[in-house]
Amino acid sequence: MPRPHFAIVVLLLSALISPVFPAAATAADSAGTAAVCDHQPALNAQAPPGAVVVDPAVDGDLSIRTLTAPAGTTFWLPPGTHRLAADEFGQVIPKDGNVYLGAPGAVLDGRGLNRAAFTQQAKDVVIRGLTIQNFVAPQDQGVVNHDSGEHWVIENNTIQHNKGAALMAGVRQEVRANCLRDNGQYGMNAYRPDNAITGLLVEGNEVSGNNVDDWETRSPGCGCSGGIKFWAVNGADIRGNWIHHNHGPGLWADTNDNDFLIEDNVIEDNENEAIFYEISYNVVIRHNAIRRNNVVAGGRRAARGDNFPSAAIYLSESGGEPRVPARTDLVDIYGNDFEDNWSAITLWENADRFCNSPANTSTASCTKLVADRTLCAAPGIESRPLYDDCRWKTQRVEIHSNTFSFDPARPGCAGLCGRMAVVSNYGTYPSWSPYRGTLVQEAITRDQDNYWFSNDYVGPWTFVTGDVSRTLTPAEWQSAPWYKDDCSSFDGVTPNC
């Protein structure tokens, strides 16, 4: 049934809730403060008082100086190229509170030999003003903070041309104003085996050209590429970044991420999704400029005859969940400017993907609502609460106050660029699944509190709902039985609400 005045009610509630988050500004232009690559400020021109000056010709490399100095030492690297020991395990192992400062022109070079630059789990380490390049981290590993130490502050560095990830994330890590470009796999990989990362800040960075090794081709289905990949992070603020031209998604949150705020970013020209939020919870995505994303991947999909509505923002089995503590209990997408992407937003829930299902590619993971995944099996899963709690649900999604525009004359669109979708598949697998048939299709479209309202559309938009074979006009999308986009405008036609 339609919900009269729903938009007005939610906007009033949003006004009450919004002070939980810091005030948002309009998304910066891509030529603004986040354009840091080749524009880093000239920091650390002189060694600060008490700093250890690292002169490799006299004192040995940075790893040796770190080994012999006490915790809390500040090291200053003068201009020039600095190298580590000539074997693959040459690395710097910081101590608690160490600070590493690079003068303008200071380069730490792995020479295509060293795997990692800064490793182990010291706390409160600062790395500022360095260029770190040519390290050869293995797949899914990183060059800086290789072992995800706690509260590292990594800022104003250029980390480029490395294998693996430029850096790894740790608890309360601050990643600010870095150039993370042209790395083999990721600009940053946010993962710890104990799933303990919380309080992550990623602010004012330029993240571009990553996944040069094309991991999805080398290892099909690995889910291991893009600008930044997050795994089981509980609390992340991602704001004011320029994330562009990555060979994969710009931002990819995968498996039990929660409590994200993604705001004031410019996310553009990524080959796949701008934001891919997968089997995760509770996120606010607001005030971002999202431009020309997913054009490469969407075009490839269409060329092989696949009409699935891949999109700039792809929510896959992800939703708001009040029982998982966070700053919001919604997926709240508002105040964003979408321009010339290959489709806008797709809400998807795979009927066959749930905890303990053979169709769940995150095989060792269960939802945050079930402690023992073996409970998600017949016959218990057929009854509540397991029937509900064994699924990652695309639910409680609110998409409002955004602008969606595209140029239908742009080459290669084939009528598929201007789409919005809320879809599922017909459940078939496994044989003991209680979600077979159209149950999930009906739930995601009608019963799980997914609403569009108060948006502005420019261009000939179409809408896909239920399953991928059903395409609606704006009038059909707004009418029974779907009732989407209350109080929205299409090509400047003022809504009557």
Side-chain angles (χ1 to χ4, degrees):
M1 293 294 293
R3 296 176 58 158
H5 308 298
F6 172 76
I8 297 172
V9 172
V10 172
L11 288 171
L12 289 172
L13 290 174
S14 297
L16 294 174
I17 295 170
S18 60
V20 174
F21 295 100
T26 302
D29 186 82
S30 56
T33 56
V36 296
C37 292
D38 300 319
H39 300 284
Q40 290 283 11
L43 303 174
N44 315 315
Q46 303 293 328
V52 172
V53 177
V54 180
D55 183 347
V58 177
D59 305 307
D61 67 46
L62 182 60
S63 63
I64 294 172
R65 298 307 308 274
T66 297
L67 181 66
T68 58
T73 298
T74 295
F75 300 88
W76 183 76
L77 282 68
T81 300
H82 299 255
R83 298 181 175 90
L84 303 177
D87 69 79
E88 63 181 315
F89 297 110
Q91 58 194 274
V92 180
I93 304 176
K95 298 172 183 176
D96 289 354
N98 280 5
V99 176
Y100 298 88
L101 305 177
V107 177
L108 183 60
D109 197 314
R111 295 177 283 173
L113 174 63
N114 308 121
R115 290 189 174 194
F118 294 90
T119 69
Q120 302 300 320
Q121 293 187 336
K123 298 180 180 180
D124 304 317
V125 173
V126 175
I127 301 171
R128 183 182 298 122
L130 282 167
T131 294
I132 302 169
Q133 63 187 28
N134 299 328
F135 287 81
V136 286
Q139 180 184 3
D140 297 332
Q141 297 183 37
V143 171
V144 175
N145 200 7
H146 175 274
D147 301 289
S148 300
E150 182 175 341
H151 191 225
W152 287 35
V153 177
I154 302 167
E155 59 187 3
N156 294 110
N157 303 286
T158 295
I159 310 177
Q160 63 183 6
H161 309 314
N162 302 286
K163 300 293 185 181
L167 61 100
M168 304 293 287
V171 176
R172 297 187 298 114
Q173 181 159 294
E174 301 174 34
V175 183
R176 291 197 183 99
N178 298 283
C179 171
L180 308 176
R181 69 178 172 190
D182 300 333
N183 295 286
Q185 192 173 3
Y186 304 116
M188 183 174 73
N189 187 6
Y191 167 73
R192 274 177 55 133
D194 59 3
N195 297 335
I197 297 176
T198 189
L200 178 61
L201 174 64
V202 182
E203 183 175 35
N205 304 280
E206 184 174 349
V207 184
S208 68
N210 296 290
N211 188 34
V212 297
D213 291 335
D214 193 11
W215 274 100
E216 302 296 334
T217 298
R218 295 174 61 177
S219 181
C222 69
C224 59
S225 65
I228 303 178
K229 186 72 183 279
F230 304 88
W231 308 82
V233 173
N234 189 23
D237 288 4
I238 304 144
R239 60 180 180 241
N241 303 283
W242 185 20
I243 302 164
H244 64 100
H245 292 95
N246 293 288
H247 306 292
L251 300 172
W252 189 348
D254 185 357
T255 309
N256 286 339
D257 293 286
N258 175 53
D259 193 16
F260 273 47
L261 173 62
I262 303 172
E263 69 174 356
D264 298 330
N265 303 284
V266 175
I267 310 176
E268 58 188 3
D269 297 300
N270 297 287
E271 291 188 2
N272 292 65
E273 300 87 350
I275 301 170
F276 187 177
Y277 209 70
E278 182 177 10
I279 59 171
S280 293
Y281 303 89
N282 300 329
V283 56
V284 171
I285 302 171
R286 69 182 184 187
H287 298 205
N288 302 284
I290 299 173
R291 307 165 178 155
R292 302 178 301 278
N293 297 282
N294 198 44
V295 175
V296 172
R300 286 175 181 163
R301 187 185 286 269
R304 62 177 184 261
D306 184 346
N307 70 338
F308 184 84
S310 63
I313 293 183
Y314 182 28
L315 301 178
S316 179
E317 297 87 32
S318 293
E321 176 50 73
R323 291 174 293 171
V324 177
R327 294 168 290 183
T328 181
D329 58 8
L330 303 171
V331 172
D332 199 3
I333 303 174
Y334 69 92
N336 303 286
D337 184 8
F338 291 77
E339 180 182 347
D340 283 337
N341 300 283
W342 184 283
S343 299
I345 301 174
T346 289
L347 276 56
W348 164 257
E349 188 172 332
N350 184 342
D352 299 331
R353 187 180 193 185
F354 52 92
C355 176
N356 208 35
S357 167
N360 178 30
T361 53
S362 299
T363 54
S365 299
C366 196
T367 70
K368 284 181 169 288
L369 304 175
V370 178
D372 180 0
R373 67 184 179 87
T374 63
L375 296 174
C376 296
I381 195 173
E382 298 170 6
S383 303
R384 289 182 168 88
L386 291 176
Y387 179 84
D388 294 317
D389 294 350
C390 289
R391 291 198 65 83
W392 291 273
K393 293 183 179 180
T394 304
Q395 65 177 7
R396 298 177 60 79
V397 179
E398 296 183 1
I399 299 166
H400 61 102
S401 309
N402 303 284
T403 299
F404 300 104
S405 64
F406 79 103
D407 179 2
R410 193 175 73 242
C413 274
L416 300 177
C417 290
R419 293 190 295 175
M420 192 80 71
V422 51
V423 288
S424 180
N425 57 316
Y426 188 91
T428 63
Y429 180 78
S431 61
W432 50 267
S433 169
Y435 313 111
R436 289 176 293 168
T438 62
L439 292 173
V440 176
Q441 287 179 354
E442 294 169 358
I444 190 174
T445 54
R446 304 182 190 183
D447 301 327
Q448 291 181 178
D449 294 326
N450 298 319
Y451 298 104
W452 281 252
F453 60 94
S454 300
N455 297 295
D456 295 316
Y457 293 87
V458 178
W461 286 84
T462 58
F463 301 86
V464 184
T465 186
D467 65 75
V468 296
S469 68
R470 182 186 291 109
T471 299
L472 307 177
T473 66
E476 292 170 329
W477 172 251
Q478 291 183 297
S479 302
W482 314 110
Y483 298 112
K484 306 299 185 189
D485 264 316
D486 184 29
C487 295
S488 293
S489 69
F490 292 86
D491 284 328
V493 177
T494 303
N496 181 16
C497 62

